[in-house]
């Protein structure tokens, strides 16, 4: 925009300057020429009274020298030689003598003025005044140079003013754009100082009002989540009492463990909802201390990466241990294949755990008991791939399944959590039909930047089995 405004100012001012400069230059040249010719005619007319009084060559030369020091004033007597060096063509001179008419005309070397004077005895003398070409254009180039400098100054000044105005507009636009990007990446404290033209100032004020209102709405929403989670503690207490009454039965320890796990999850939700607003782009984890979005952009070379960071393989192992108990209860053969290589991703432990729980939970909800499934974590050069596949009916419409609330018989929340987590790190989610005949869901996380001093250890993969899947 800044260059465009400067270019427009340059084009408009140049056209205006040229529209005045060209006619003005022609007018200056015409005026200088007219002044020189008028002065020559006046000198010739001034010598005419002297010629009527005397025809003495000495007196005439002295008078001519007094009127024109350049000796361009010549007198042609009727019965004698010309007094001076004549440059008038013979035809023009004869015409002036015989026709007794004043002649002022352009000739190849300049301008000639012929003034006839009638002497006693009906004789005709002619006064000639020659104006050289240099006299006709004297001072024209200097005038043109001054006008050109003025035009250049005006054009340069207009371009400079337009550039300064454009810089002000661009600076205000860039600040508004940076604040918008920061807000979009999760920095809820992003605000902009209204500046620039009135329209941009109004946009800045509107942006600040929108950001403030959005922060208020998020705070209300988080408080509501905390309140709803807290209300679930009442039925949890009843479950605790029921498990105590079941003491001694084979299912007592298992129910108590499940209730304890659920209570821990509720406490984590309440704690996260009551913390200051600094949620990450998934809405699950926390942003780094600098407000940057994990995995949202390149890191500075040589600097330690900021924001959440966890070993995806370790989180998958821990969550697998939890689901292994339920799989054994439902007689589900299941396998676990997790890489032993470093698998750091730019997400928190809770974010990765939420993805694992959502995908495995979908297997339990949408496939019959006894349906086998498997979980794999594969490390590549630049990514970590989490694969959950089962032998169930599969997903008939993968594209629709990735949209929250659009799947038939499902909220779509689990797959949406996986998609958002992958997007945060720069990865993808793919749904296909796997070799087991059912759904094959692949979540690819981009690897987190390696710290400067970090070295990736060499290790192998280990394959383990769960319950009946061994």
């Amino acid at each position: 925009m800044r260059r465009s405004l400067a270019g427009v100012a340059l084009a408009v001012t140049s056209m205006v300057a040229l529209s005045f400069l060209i006619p003005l230059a022609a007018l200056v040249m015409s005026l200088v020429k007219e002044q020189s010719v008028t002065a020559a005619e006046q000198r010739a007319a001034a010598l005419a009274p002297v010629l009527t009084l005397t025809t003495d060559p000495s007196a005439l030369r002295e008078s001519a020298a007094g009127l024109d020091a350049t000796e361009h004033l010549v007198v042609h007597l009727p019965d004698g030689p010309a007094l001076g060096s004549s440059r008038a063509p013979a035809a023009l001179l004869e015409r002036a003598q015989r026709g007794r008419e004043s002649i002022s005309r352009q000739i190849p070397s300049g301008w000639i003025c012929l003034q006839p004077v009638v002497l006693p005895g009906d004789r005709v003398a002619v006064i000639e005044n020659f104006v050289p070409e240099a006299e006709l254009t004297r001072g024209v180039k200097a005038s043109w140079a001054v006008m050109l400098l003025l035009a250049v100054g005006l054009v340069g000044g207009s371009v400079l003013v337009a550039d300064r105005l454009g810089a002000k507009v661009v600076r205000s636009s860039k600040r508004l754009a940076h604040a918008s990007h920061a807000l979009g990446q999760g920095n809820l404290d992003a605000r902009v100082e209204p500046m620039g033209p009135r329209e941009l100032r109004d946009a800045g004020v509107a942006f600040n009002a929108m950001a403030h209102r959005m922060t208020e709405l998020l705070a209300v929403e988080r408080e509501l989540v905390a309140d709803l989670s807290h209300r679930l503690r009442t039925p949890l207490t009843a479950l605790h009492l029921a498990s105590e009454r079941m003491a001694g039965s084979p299912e007592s320890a298992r129910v108590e463990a499940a209730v304890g796990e659920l209570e821990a999850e509720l406490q984590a939700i309440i704690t996260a909802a009551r913390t200051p607003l600094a949620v990450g782009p998934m809405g699950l984890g926390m942003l780094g201390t600098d407000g940057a979005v994990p995995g949202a952009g390149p890191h500075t070379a040589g600097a330690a990466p900021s924001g959440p960071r966890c070993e995806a393989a370790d989180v998958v192992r821990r969550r697998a241990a939890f689901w292994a108990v339920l799989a054994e209860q439902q007689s589900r053969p299941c396998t676990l294949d997790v890489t032993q290589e470093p698998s750091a991703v730019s997400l928190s432990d809770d974010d990765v755990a939420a993805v694992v729980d959502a995908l495995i939970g979908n297997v339990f909800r949408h496939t019959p008991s006894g349906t086998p499934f498997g979980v794999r974590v594969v490390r590549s050069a630049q990514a970590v791939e989490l694969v959950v596949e089962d032998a169930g009916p599969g997903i008939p419409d993968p594209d629709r399944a990735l949209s929250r609330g659009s799947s038939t018989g499902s909220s779509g929340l689990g797959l949406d959590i996986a998609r958002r987590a992958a997007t945060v790190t720069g990865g993808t989610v793919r749904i296909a039909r796997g070799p087991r005949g059912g759904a094959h869901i692949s979540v690819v996380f981009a690897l987190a930047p390696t710290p400067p001093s970090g070295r990736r250890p060499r290790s192998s993969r280990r394959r383990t089995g769960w319950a009946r899947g061994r």
Side-chain angles (χ1 to χ4, degrees), residues 379-403:
R379 159 68 189 269
S380 63
Q382 298 179 347
V384 177
E385 182 182 13
L386 169 64
V387 178
V388 177
E389 55 186 2
D390 59 63
I395 300 176
D397 191 351
D399 294 334
R400 187 180 179 187
L402 287 173
S403 299

Side-chain angles (χ1 to χ4, degrees), residues 348-361:
S348 66
D349 289 2
D350 291 339
D351 292 340
V352 177
V355 174
V356 177
D357 290 344
L359 296 182
I360 300 180

Side-chain angles (χ1 to χ4, degrees), residues 18 112 184 292 325 342-343 394:
L18 287 176
I112 196 74
V325 178
S343 55

Side-chain angles (χ1 to χ4, degrees), residues 323 332 355-367 388:
W323 289 100
R332 293 179 179 269
V355 174
V356 177
D357 290 344
L359 296 182
I360 300 180
N362 281 343
V363 175
F364 278 76
R365 281 190 294 271
H366 301 292
T367 62
V388 177

Side-chain angles (χ1 to χ4, degrees), residues 52-392:
T52 59
L53 296 176
T54 179
T55 57
D56 180 48
S58 300
L60 292 174
R61 286 192 179 94
E62 184 177 354
S63 298
L67 292 172
D68 187 3
T70 58
E71 299 182 355
H72 290 154
L73 197 59
V74 180
V75 179
H76 296 272
L77 296 174
D79 52 0
L83 303 179
S85 178
S86 176
R87 293 177 177 80
L92 288 179
L93 187 58
E94 184 179 356
R95 177 181 168 184
Q97 287 177 339
R98 290 186 179 184
R100 299 181 182 185
E101 62 173 312
S102 298
I103 300 175
S104 181
R105 185 168 297 178
Q106 181 88 32
I107 62 174
S109 57
W111 194 275
I112 196 74
C113 296
L114 299 178
Q115 178 67 42
V117 179
V118 180
L119 300 178
D122 200 25
R123 296 178 302 165
V124 178
V126 178
I127 301 174
E128 172 193 338
N129 197 357
F130 173 72
V131 183
E133 189 70 31
E135 286 289 333
L136 295 175
T137 58
R138 177 176 296 177
V140 173
K141 292 183 178 179
S143 300
W144 285 0
V146 172
M147 290 188 294
L148 183 61
L149 288 176
L150 285 175
V152 171
L154 289 174
V155 172
S158 65
V159 171
L160 181 61
V161 171
D163 180 72
R164 292 297 89 198
L165 292 176
K168 190 174 182 180
V169 172
V170 169
R171 190 183 308 114
S172 179
S173 302
K174 284 185 176 180
R175 289 186 178 181
L176 184 59
H178 291 334
S180 300
H181 286 306
L183 183 64
Q185 292 175 352
N187 183 6
L188 300 180
D189 294 328
R191 298 293 185 273
V192 63
E193 180 181 356
M195 61 178 295
R198 182 171 59 86
E199 292 79 4
L200 286 177
R201 291 199 302 270
D202 293 343
V205 172
F207 172 83
N208 291 339
M210 177 195 67
H212 181 70
R213 180 58 178 164
M214 186 174 67
T215 303
E216 289 181 345
L217 292 176
L218 285 175
V220 171
E221 182 180 359
R222 288 162 61 85
E223 190 64 28
L224 178 61
V225 170
D227 292 344
L228 291 176
S229 301
H230 191 271
R231 289 168 59 183
L232 291 177
R233 286 185 169 180
T234 299
L236 275 179
T237 302
L239 287 176
H240 271 300
L241 295 176
S243 65
E244 290 178 358
R245 287 196 298 269
M246 294 170 57
S249 65
E251 298 293 328
S252 174
R254 192 169 297 169
V255 171
E256 184 67 25
V259 171
E261 182 74 19
L262 181 57
E263 187 172 8
E265 291 292 337
L266 283 177
Q267 183 60 39
I269 293 175
I270 295 173
T271 302
R274 292 281 168 82
T275 55
L277 278 173
V279 294
M282 282 188 61
L284 298 173
M286 305 296 292
L287 286 174
T289 56
D290 59 350
V293 179
H299 292 267
T300 304
S306 59
R309 183 186 179 92
C310 74
E311 289 291 331
D314 295 341
V315 177
V316 172
R317 290 191 191 94
R318 289 198 300 269
R319 298 313 301 161
F322 169 78
W323 289 100
V325 178
L326 299 180
E328 185 176 0
Q329 290 179 358
Q330 296 187 3
S331 302
R332 293 179 179 269
C334 49
T335 59
L336 175 65
D337 185 8
V338 180
T339 179
Q340 297 297 311
E341 294 187 77
S343 55
V345 295
S346 297
L347 293 170
S348 66
D349 289 2
D350 291 339
D351 292 340
V352 177
V355 174
V356 177
D357 290 344
L359 296 182
I360 300 180
N362 281 343
V363 175
F364 278 76
R365 281 190 294 271
H366 301 292
T367 62
S369 298
T371 302
F373 70 97
V375 178
R376 288 187 290 118
V377 177
V378 182
R379 159 68 189 269
S380 63
Q382 298 179 347
V384 177
E385 182 182 13
L386 169 64
V387 178
V388 177
E389 55 186 2
D390 59 63

